[in-house]
Amino acid sequence: MKNPEEIKEIRSKLNTSELADLQWLNTELTTFLATDDVSSEGVTKLENMVTTLNNFRRTYTQRVMRLMKAAHMVD
């Protein structure tokens, strides 16, 4: 069983996969903004970004839910 300090540390850190996804999204959005062409390639890039963001949001929400279940140990 984890102590409150371990739970707080887990809560405050994103893992390397999540950080990589966010970095990729940042790069893709920057590239997308720099390119002002409207094309099917742009739609594909947007769809990929939306999918990545939705996956990130899903895992982030699951982590928050797990922490809420363990809240009796934090506060």
Side-chain angles (χ1 to χ4, degrees), residues 2 4-5 8 13 23 28 43 48-49 52 64 66 70 73:
K2 295 181 179 177
E5 290 304 315
K8 286 178 184 178
K13 304 290 181 186
Q23 185 61 41
E28 287 297 308
V43 172
N48 290 339
M49 287 186 274
T52 301
V64 169
R66 283 193 308 267
M73 296 175 61

Side-chain angles (χ1 to χ4, degrees), residues 6-66:
E6 289 173 325
I7 293 172
K8 286 178 184 178
E9 184 165 327
I10 291 169
R11 177 179 61 194
S12 66
K13 304 290 181 186
L14 295 173
N15 64 38
T16 55
S17 175
E18 293 166 334
L19 291 171
D21 284 348
L22 291 174
Q23 185 61 41
W24 180 84
L25 282 168
N26 183 34
T27 302
E28 287 297 308
L29 280 171
T30 301
T31 304
F32 189 79
L33 288 171
T35 307
D36 61 352
D37 296 337
V38 175
S39 65
S40 61
E41 183 182 329
V43 172
T44 302
K45 285 185 178 189
L46 282 173
E47 288 299 322
N48 290 339
M49 287 186 274
V50 166
T51 300
T52 301
L53 185 58
N54 280 334
N55 289 338
F56 174 80
R57 181 184 51 83
R58 188 178 316 112
T59 59
Y60 192 86
T61 301
Q62 288 171 350
R63 181 183 290 176
V64 169
M65 298 289 281
R66 283 193 308 267

